[in-house]
Amino acid sequence: MSTRTLPLLFINLGGEMLYILDQRLRAQNIPADKAKKVMNDIITTMFNKKFLEELFKPQELYSKKALRTVFDRLAHASIMRLNQASMDKLYDLMTMAFKYQVLLCLRPKDILLVSFNHMDAIKDFVKDTPSILSQVDETYQQLIEIYTPLSNGEFQLIRQTLLIFFQDMHIRVSIFLKDKVQNSNGRFVLPTSGPVPRGTQIPGLIRIFSCAGEELTRLQFNNGGNYSSAQREGSFEIFGDRVTKLGTNMYSVSRPVETHMSGTSKSSAQHTKVNTVPNPLAKEELNLLSRLMGGLEVQKPGSTDTGFRVNLFATDEEEEEALISRPDDLSYGIVNIQATKDQQANAELAKIMGEFTESGEQSPSASSKGDDLLAMMDGL
């Protein structure tokens, strides 16, 4: 069934990716102007107009491997490079953070408020760059126009679609483990107390009505929790208080973040690998991916513009160990998109690719930018 889930998944995962990369660049004491260039490159690509036009079409979610391919391209939209283990860790952190946020939403519509928190943060990253800010604002307007009129049932379908997508992902994250919101098997601990969803009442009262609709009697019962009244409604406008903290930056206080595969996840991954059946829609999915990413060519480090590497682990040794110990099925083997062949085969696709390429053209200072950033981050 086609839903409006994909844009929300993309924006929320993208927001988490930017939080993580920003935290990592700060932890490495990268000068603010240098880090800003990297963030601007990624956000510019993320909010490309033609890319988002394809993304906002009602459609089924991609497979995990296909979505990982999209974010691999996005993370490498600048001259920054991530080895596979670091990219795996980045994707694990992104997905587990958003999975936890979806689980904590008191009502399905709150997913939109989480998305707006991510969009607010993305706007703040580019607040001093008007050209990129206008791209983000256009997407904001699309979100408001498309999602605010949706019914509760449609948001419930979106939430269920997201939870089905995340249901087999049980990566342990150090922040969640330390805060005791995640068990050692990678499953989240959900609170049984706190504010009730907006539009509902605190449990503890049974009312019995007659056939005519008249209240006959009331029975009190112990609800077994410590509930409070619903929070006030968050703003669904382009500016406003979202009320919920879900979707805000949990890395604002610098602390190391590690991911670990649980024993359950490893055995589950191996079991899945044995029973994998070829997906008959794989060709169609690749065609869709080529439409989305045809123009997002990853810049190849060359003699005049050498890329720099970011390591999400404390040392290179830890990164190598993580790559060796990770189950093959969870490395999301990247899908290779043959954009050139598609360009020759489809005139409409060629036009989209051309616009992607134009939007992604390097500025005259791109070469010197690469050298500066490489020298700056040699120590990673």
Side-chain angles (χ1 to χ4, degrees), residues 73-86:
R73 289 293 185 93
L74 187 59
H76 292 90
S78 70
I79 58 171
M80 178 185 68
R81 294 292 172 263
L82 296 168
N83 284 350
Q84 183 175 332
S86 285

Side-chain angles (χ1 to χ4, degrees), residues 89 210 299:
K89 179 177 179 179
S210 68
Q299 182 180 343

